[in-house]
Amino acid sequence: MRDELRIIYYIIRKDMRAYYLKPPAISWGILFPAAMSLSFYLRNPAGFGELAPGLLALTVLFSTTAMEAVVINFELRVGSLERLLLAPATFGSVLLGKLLGASLFGFIITALVATAVLPTCLDRGFDVVALLFIVITSLITFSSLGALISVAVKEVFEAQTLGNFLRFPMMFLCGVFIPIQTLPPGLRHLAYALPLTYTVDGFRQALGGTGNLSLVGDVLILTGFACVFVVPAVALLRRRFA
Amino acid sequence: MGYDTINAGHAAEAPAVAVSELSKRYGRLLAVDRVTFQVQHGEIFGLLGPNGAGKTTIIRVLTGLSRPSAGQVRVFAHDMERNPKEAKKLFGLVPEITNLYDELSALENVLFMAQLFGVPPQERLDRAHQLLDLFGLGSKSRVRLSHFSRGMKRAVAIAAAVVHRPRLLFLDEPTAGLDVVHARTLRRLVRRLNQEGVTVFLTTHYLEEADQLCDRIALLVKGRIVALDTPEALKDRASKGGVAVEVAFEPMLDQCAVGLGRRTGIRRVTARGDRLRVEGDKVSEVVAAIVAYAAESGTEITHIATVRPTLEEAFVQLTGLSSEVMKTEKGGS
């Protein structure tokens, strides 16, 4: 266990050093959430607080999945992931290191966006503990999703493209811009099958609003999604080296 | 298990590598076909074969980067299927294509591997500096790897592979693509590591390299080992118990080969440039036949020497392949 924890820790440290400033991480993980926040603010500064939960949720989604593509696919392409697999650790530990590295990146970016967004929510008040819970659970869930996408392909651009097939529909279905209740029944059911719905719902409650589920419910469902994404991701990674 | 116990040398009596009936299949392609061999402690063992013979596949299975379709692999008595973690603590791998991190410096790359293997902080820093100095990269230790040449990267890869003091080092085509100077330096490093007690398992398609470096060589063709022995024994097997003498006459006439070939005790005469290679059962008989022929034909012997078959000749005889296949680099160039 000590070996595994040590390896996970050093993978995170190495990924921070090697990949946090890679162009795909900057463009999808930093610039995209920043540009979106800025455009919404410029369009309607007074109503910006209403969009805060959605913007934070999108920041978590894009920052983690973009970084996961970088930390996994760069290494799959040049073969350096094999270097990690030579260490005395399991496939699961190596993937967990990658997952936590991307989560940490997501946390930093989300914290930056939150610093800009939260002052607009002061009048309604917000729950810091609840916010941390929903942020951390969402970071791990979307890192897991990013990991699953990334191990399924080889190149960074493939992971980003495949990721966009999921990220953009989620943006429009999960209550970021349009309330889920106003969606047609079919799309509403689809929305409840997507993890971003629960992240937005959790953020909404943490930022003084009301949600469709309890915060605990959101956290539990997101944890379930994380498991659903991680298990096949580890299996796919193992199959790559079968 | 801590770093101290990694090198404690348990299972010291077991072979460094024991492979039994190993097969590896990729779909319909049988890349490795029921291969069995052992690598003993302290030896340099070479897997020699043309590109596509299955050398890299075997090294990937031995290091746990690929799973066998059948058979068993043990590294220092640890089963690579059941207990790969313990085995991985005992070896290092230098892959054919350097897969270090271009974004990090040489020192950071070496330190990272030391960190993964749990080398204590002060020791890993000392060891990393020591290795980079040994490989002549001390002054460039803080330069990003993206600025390094291929040979320098290979040296860093070796440093990264041995920073945790493994007892076994796998080298996949260590000198492929390197210039003569870097290749020579690298062979010297491999010998030095071996003298320090590291068992070395290398794959190569360079006959000369295998001959110079290896204590034992396995000849691999189409996923099967066709011969396994010391380089000298392989050459002896190629000579089929006979001897060969190289001779030059003045004048060297076309009929020299024919005339010599008719003499008793001579099996075969072949032209090699401006010399003849004369094969027979005993050196004394061959030399006597040459001297007698020279006296009778009025020619003068300007050169005479016994010759042993080269590894290249042994390879050709034992595998049935042309030595040209060994000169083909990956990608067919």
Side-chain angles (χ1 to χ4, degrees), chain A residues 11-20 71 75 97-98:
Chain A
I11 288 175
I12 296 170
R13 261 184 53 167
K14 185 267 298 166
D15 282 353
M16 284 174 75
R17 208 171 158 68
Y19 302 124
Y20 273 22
V71 298
E75 299 207 350
K98 294 281 167 198

Side-chain angles (χ1 to χ4, degrees), chain B residues 259-306:
Chain B
L260 263 175
R262 288 187 185 137
R263 298 211 157 246
T264 41
I266 304 297
R267 283 188 199 168
R268 196 165 67 139
V269 181
T270 45
R272 297 275 168 107
D274 59 351
R275 292 173 182 182
L276 296 177
R277 182 187 168 101
V278 187
E279 292 170 39
D281 295 326
K282 292 179 181 171
V283 174
S284 56
E285 284 179 5
V286 174
V287 171
I290 290 169
V291 171
Y293 173 78
E296 286 171 18
S297 63
T299 53
E300 189 186 341
I301 299 169
T302 55
H303 167 87
I304 184 162
T306 54

Side-chain angles (χ1 to χ4, degrees), chain B:
Chain B
M1 191 191 232
Y3 177 64
D4 294 339
T5 49
I6 289 173
N7 305 296
H10 66 286
E13 64 285 347
V17 179
V19 175
S20 171
E21 290 288 309
L22 172 69
S23 292
K24 179 68 187 176
R25 190 177 276 284
Y26 294 105
R28 286 184 172 186
L29 175 74
L30 185 60
V32 178
D33 186 8
R34 286 169 292 145
V35 162
T36 297
F37 64 89
Q38 291 192 348
V39 180
Q40 302 304 329
H41 290 263
E43 75 172 331
I44 302 182
F45 184 94
L47 204 51
L48 179 68
N51 286 321
K55 303 187 298 292
T56 297
T57 302
I58 288 178
I59 233 173
R60 287 180 67 82
V61 173
L62 297 189
T63 53
L65 291 175
S66 189
R67 295 178 68 188
S69 304
Q72 193 181 46
V73 174
R74 285 179 177 273
V75 176
F76 293 108
H78 297 295
D79 190 315
M80 282 303 290
E81 277 283 284
R82 290 185 199 154
N83 195 10
K85 272 176 68 181
E86 289 309 309
K88 283 177 179 179
K89 292 175 181 176
L90 302 170
F91 65 75
L93 166 68
V94 181
E96 182 182 359
I97 297 163
T98 304
N99 58 6
L100 295 160
Y101 304 97
D102 273 354
E103 299 81 4
L104 305 181
S105 70
L107 181 65
E108 286 168 332
N109 266 289
V110 179
L111 280 177
F112 175 58
M113 290 313 285
Q115 288 161 343
L116 290 186
F117 283 91
V119 182
Q122 191 51 50
E123 187 182 338
R124 68 180 169 234
L125 194 63
D126 292 344
R127 175 95 172 131
H129 278 300
Q130 184 192 13
L131 285 167
L132 291 172
D133 284 342
L134 175 70
F135 298 166
L137 295 169
S139 62
K140 293 187 166 64
S141 65
R142 293 186 192 277
V143 175
R144 271 173 63 138
L145 215 73
S146 52
H147 300 295
F148 277 34
S149 69
R150 209 170 180 176
M152 287 157 76
K153 282 185 180 177
R154 195 65 61 88
V156 178
I158 295 183
V162 299
V163 69
H164 61 295
R165 296 184 192 279
R167 294 166 59 200
L168 168 65
L169 179 62
F170 290 101
L171 294 147
D172 192 6
E173 299 277 2
T175 58
L178 294 190
D179 60 48
V180 178
V181 177
H182 278 113
R184 197 179 300 143
T185 308
L186 204 135
R187 286 187 198 117
R188 212 166 35 233
L189 288 172
V190 171
R191 273 195 211 98
R192 183 168 171 166
L193 287 167
N194 180 245
Q195 281 159 8
E196 288 172 6
V198 178
T199 304
V200 177
F201 181 105
L202 64 89
T203 69
T204 184
H205 67 282
Y206 296 133
L207 291 151
E208 196 188 353
E209 180 168 274
D211 199 8
Q212 284 175 14
L213 274 177
C214 299
D215 297 315
R216 285 194 307 144
I217 297 169
L219 302 183
L220 190 73
V221 179
K222 291 180 181 169
R224 300 195 74 164
I225 290 181
V226 295
L228 195 170
D229 220 321
T230 63
E232 294 312 306
L234 289 174
K235 291 172 199 170
D236 285 345
R237 280 166 66 176
S239 67
K240 290 176 182 163
V243 295
V245 172
E246 197 176 66
V247 64
F249 295 105
E250 181 61 45
M252 178 66 91
L253 303 169
D254 288 346
Q255 59 264 39
C256 289
V258 182
L260 263 175
R262 288 187 185 137
R263 298 211 157 246
T264 41
I266 304 297
R267 283 188 199 168
R268 196 165 67 139
V269 181
T270 45
R272 297 275 168 107
D274 59 351
R275 292 173 182 182
L276 296 177
R277 182 187 168 101
V278 187
E279 292 170 39
D281 295 326
K282 292 179 181 171
V283 174
S284 56
E285 284 179 5
V286 174
V287 171
I290 290 169
V291 171
Y293 173 78
E296 286 171 18
S297 63
T299 53
E300 189 186 341
I301 299 169
T302 55
H303 167 87
I304 184 162
T306 54
V307 287
R308 289 176 54 74
T310 61
L311 190 61
E312 183 173 330
E313 287 162 339
F315 177 83
V316 172
Q317 287 231 8
L318 295 168
T319 64
L321 296 173
S322 150
S323 62
E324 290 304 306
V325 298
M326 302 297 275
K327 290 168 187 157
T328 312
E329 296 291 342
K330 262 188 186 161
S333 58

